[in-house]
Amino acid sequence: MFTRSLIAAVIAALAALAAPVLTAPTPVRPAVTPQPAAAPAQPAAQPAAQATAPALSPEAVIAALRKPENSTGNIADAVEAATGARGWMSSDMKPISAGKIVGRAWTALMRPVLKSDTRTYPNYLLQILDEAPAGSVLVYVMEDGLEIAAMGNLMATTAVARGLEGTVIDGAVRDVTEIRAMGHKVFSRRVSPATSVGRMVSVSKQTPVRCADIMVHPGDYIVGDADGVVVVPQGAADQVVALLKDYDARESKMVPIIQREKSMLKALEIYGRY
């Protein structure tokens, strides 16, 4: 038989089991304010670009090319080293009068015309003769007209009056005695009495032309002396001048060695061949 005390204990135990289970409260997390995304890192400041040396002025290039030590031979070597291409005109481009010319090119192109062609053509040869500034070199190309004179006494007189440096003709020149007497420096591939009037007409002026196998652009530097004519492209002028300084420095040091040793080979052993 169950005692009262035992029954009371059982009832108390059952009551405890039936009571709701209390759970620990979930801790409250403090609100977090969203932060804006970080800005992307800026690249480190780059050092200022090195300023390139200013290009030589046309006057400085002309002065350098005019120096006596800068022959067309050395200039031809420098142009080839700087551009990888030949700069010297064909070997039949010869001086009509003595002296060196250095100046910037003004170009004109002529071509043959049929006697039956009665159209009117501009005379670009005479136009650039009047338009080229003092110190310029006229470059006349007589297409398929090697034996035809592009310049004579009157045109040369005009060139002298305007202070032009000289004329280079892929073709012929005439009135040579008068031109020599007045001092205008002309280089041409031929000497001929044949006039261009009625035989040739103008095609263009101040355009690229092929003169004695070399392309000449308006503004290129033309150098002519007793050995022939060389074209220095505008874009390569600074490099050509720098190379000429190096050539002259080597040659000036090689000469006394050659004179002392009586041998070019010994000089080349020291300074090499440019």
Side-chain angles (χ1 to χ4, degrees), residues 64-220:
L65 297 175
R66 198 182 294 281
K67 291 180 178 180
E69 60 268 26
N70 291 333
S71 64
T72 51
N74 280 359
I75 294 171
D77 291 346
V79 169
E80 200 159 0
T83 67
R86 162 186 160 186
W88 46 274
M89 291 186 182
S90 58
S91 58
D92 59 348
M93 182 65 76
K94 298 295 186 183
I96 299 304
S97 46
K100 183 176 183 178
I101 64 168
V102 181
R104 305 190 77 180
W106 276 64
T107 68
L109 176 63
M110 300 276 281
R111 67 168 173 79
V113 66
L114 296 173
K115 293 286 186 181
S116 59
D117 189 342
T118 58
R119 289 174 292 179
T120 300
Y121 293 89
N123 193 323
Y124 291 135
L125 267 68
L126 295 185
Q127 285 184 21
I128 68 166
L129 178 62
D130 284 355
E131 294 167 358
S136 300
V137 174
L138 302 176
V139 178
Y140 289 157
V141 174
M142 310 295 278
E143 187 178 272
D144 297 325
L146 203 56
E147 306 296 331
I148 308 302
M151 174 174 276
N153 174 48
L154 295 180
M155 291 178 68
T157 299
T158 307
V160 171
R162 292 186 52 77
L164 301 184
E165 177 75 6
T167 303
V168 173
I169 304 171
D170 189 339
V173 64
R174 69 180 192 174
D175 300 332
V176 170
T177 300
E178 292 90 337
I179 290 175
R180 285 174 176 164
M182 71 180 68
H184 184 59
K185 300 180 183 67
V186 177
F187 292 74
S188 71
R189 299 180 69 183
R190 297 288 190 275
V191 174
S192 170
T195 180
S196 64
V197 178
R199 293 188 174 93
M200 310 285 285
V201 293
S202 290
V203 176
S204 65
K205 68 174 181 178
Q206 284 298 81
T207 59
V209 294
R210 181 171 291 278
C211 183
D213 298 333
I214 299 300
M215 288 304 300
V216 179
H217 294 75
D220 283 348

